[in-house]
Structures are given as structure tokens and as C-alpha cells.
């Protein structure tokens, strides 16, 4: 099921399935997170989790900090892929670079057992403050995604 959330006047598209949420990483999401990374991401996560509970009659089993860090982690990884594209194409050859870029188009956040990276994001949760500072610094550049694929 696809939903749209309007936060701070910006529409964000989200796909919801049992145990899995997919956030569309488009210019609207980047514009939203560029303005107020912390508040906007917290609001988005809260709205998604509230809708999930209403839709599936149970809580989405992802900690808020882990959810937030996963969103920011995908955006930061995409930023690095684009900023250092020449180097990344060497480090990630044979179509891997393009595959990584494509994997950033939808930010899939799933529960343990559905998302193979859930434990990774749970372990990175303590880095939320550090990632928040990174997001504030890159927020002006993530608005326009111009990959040279």
C-alpha cells in the first residue's frame, strides 16, 4: 500500500507492507530533510509508525533511533557515492556502483527477519548525533540528485 505524508508542506511517498516500509528517496524527501533533518525525520518516522499500527493492528518493530539512522545512512551513502563518483566507480566496479545508487532510490526499512541489515542499523543507532551533524552539513547538496551513471 502506498501512502503520502505532507510534512512542513512537503509530500513524501511511502510504501507500506507487513514488516517493511519503503520511503521514496526523491527530491521532495531530500528537500524535507534539508530544511530540518532532526525534526523532519522524527516527524516522518512517527507518522509512518502510527499509520503502520492503524493499518496492521500492531507496532512496527523498529526502534525510532534505528529507523532514523537507517534513513540518514542511506542518504549519506548516496551523497558519498555522488560526491566521490569517480573514486567510487573504481572501488565498486562491474556495475556495483550503479546497483548501490539504485538501492538508494527506495529506503527500505524492515523488521528483524525481513530486513537483513536491521542489526547493522540497530548497532549504528548510537551514531545518531554524529549522523545528525553530517546531515546538517550535506543538506544543501542532497536536494538535487544528479548521478553521472
Amino acid at each position: 500500500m502506498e501512502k503520502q505524508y505532507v510534512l512542513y508542506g512537503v509530500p513524501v511517498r511511502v510504501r507500506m507492507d507487513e514488516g517493511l516500509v519503503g520511503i521514496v528517496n526523491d527530491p521532495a524527501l531530500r528537500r524535507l530533510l534539508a530544511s530540518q533533518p532532526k525534526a523532519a525525520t522524527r516527524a516522518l518516522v512517527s507518522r509512518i509508525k502510527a499509520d503502520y499500527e492503524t493499518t496492521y493492528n500492531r507496532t512496527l518493530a523498529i526502534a525510532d533511533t534505528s529507523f532514523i539512522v537507517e534513513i540518514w545512512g542511506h542518504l549519506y551513502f548516496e551523497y558519498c557515492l555522488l560526491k566521490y563518483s569517480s573514486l567510487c566507480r573504481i572501488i565498486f566496479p562491474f556495475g556495483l556502483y550503479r546497483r548501490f545508487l539504485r538501492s538508494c532510490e527506495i529506503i527500505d526499512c524492515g523488521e528483524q527477519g525481513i530486513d537483513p541489515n536491521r542489526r547493522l542499523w540497530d548497532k549504528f543507532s548510537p551514531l545518531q548525533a554524529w549522523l545528525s551533524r553530517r546531515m546538517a552539513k550535506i543538506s544543501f547538496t542532497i536536494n538535487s540528485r544528479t548521478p553521472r551513471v
Side-chain angles (χ1 to χ4, degrees):
M1 146 185 5
E2 185 142 334
K3 295 205 171 242
Q4 181 171 302
Y5 300 95
V6 179
L7 299 157
Y8 303 100
V10 179
V12 177
R13 294 181 300 147
V14 175
R15 186 191 71 239
M16 224 180 266
D17 293 307
E18 184 85 27
L20 182 67
V21 173
I23 302 166
V24 177
N25 180 6
D26 59 5
L29 176 70
R30 293 188 296 276
R31 187 170 57 251
L32 171 69
L33 298 184
S35 62
Q36 302 178 46
K38 277 184 181 178
T41 311
R42 281 197 177 108
L44 178 63
V45 165
S46 292
R47 296 269 308 271
I48 290 170
K49 289 182 91 172
D51 266 358
Y52 185 90
E53 191 163 348
T54 301
T55 304
Y56 294 103
N57 296 317
R58 69 179 187 85
T59 304
L60 180 65
I62 302 174
D64 288 0
T65 53
S66 182
F67 204 160
I68 290 168
V69 165
E70 184 167 4
I71 294 167
W72 290 348
H74 277 85
L75 288 169
Y76 193 69
F77 185 62
E78 176 187 47
Y79 165 78
C80 291
L81 285 172
L82 295 172
K83 181 171 180 167
Y84 306 108
S85 65
S86 297
L87 177 62
C88 287
R89 288 171 196 275
I90 294 168
I91 295 172
F92 306 119
F94 311 114
L96 198 54
Y97 174 80
R98 277 185 244 119
R99 183 194 165 285
F100 284 150
L101 264 181
R102 277 192 313 275
S103 73
C104 292
E105 291 173 2
I106 303 288
I107 302 169
D108 283 324
C109 305
E111 296 175 334
Q112 187 70 39
I114 294 173
D115 184 347
N117 297 317
R118 181 82 277 127
R119 284 190 182 154
L120 173 77
W121 298 117
D122 289 346
K123 290 201 183 298
F124 283 162
S125 290
L127 300 175
Q128 183 180 4
W130 179 83
L131 265 175
S132 174
R133 289 191 299 274
R134 299 285 91 55
M135 289 303 297
K137 289 181 181 180
I138 68 164
S139 64
F140 63 93
T141 59
I142 62 174
N143 275 324
S144 60
R145 182 177 195 250
T146 53
R148 294 177 298 163
V149 181

